[in-house]
Amino acid sequence: MSIDHRPVDSSWLADLRSSLAEDFATQTARLRELTELSADTGDPSEAHHQAALLSATRRNIEHITGALGRISEGTYGACEKCQKPIPAERLEVLPHARFCVPCQEKHNR
């Protein structure tokens, strides 16, 4: 489903796609590095820290992939819950946002 009233213009969207692609490459390299460094040091706190970094990096990659997919599908900028446009200000701060603020608050509950 395509949104009719995009809160962003096409040049901003092209710049965003490029930025997200760069972020994807950075996060993928980080994941590769973290995976290679995942040798057990015997320190439980280090293992916990490493697991947290891996999890956060994977989550970042999922967010970036989702945003790139929505751009390709033409649904970027539409709330997945109510289908209303997500304000451009929110997308600038949180480019992977899937929901408008009211729907995000409901989703978090």
Side-chain angles (χ1 to χ4, degrees):
M1 145 187 6
S2 227
I3 56 174
D4 296 328
H5 301 95
R6 289 184 190 231
V8 294
D9 66 34
S10 60
S11 75
W12 184 84
L13 203 57
D15 290 345
L16 175 65
R17 180 180 295 187
S18 175
S19 176
L20 287 170
E22 288 175 25
D23 288 346
F24 180 82
T26 300
Q27 292 297 316
T28 301
R30 180 177 182 183
L31 181 62
R32 190 175 310 112
E33 179 181 308
L34 288 169
T35 303
E36 290 170 0
L37 295 175
S38 66
D40 187 6
T41 63
D43 181 358
S45 66
E46 182 63 30
H48 177 73
H49 178 71
Q50 187 77 6
L53 287 173
L54 281 166
S55 178
T57 303
R58 286 184 181 118
R59 191 171 37 255
N60 286 340
I61 290 170
E62 288 173 13
H63 290 314
I64 293 166
T65 302
L68 287 168
R70 289 188 298 280
I71 290 170
S72 294
E73 295 166 357
T75 60
Y76 184 82
C79 176
E80 288 183 8
K81 184 83 170 166
C82 70
Q83 306 307 313
K84 292 181 183 174
I86 299 171
E89 296 81 10
R90 177 166 170 75
L91 293 172
E92 287 176 13
V93 173
L94 195 65
H96 62 269
R98 296 172 35 215
F99 305 107
C100 63
V101 173
C103 290
Q104 183 69 59
E105 288 173 350
K106 291 175 191 171
H107 182 75
N108 290 345
R109 289 184 200 156

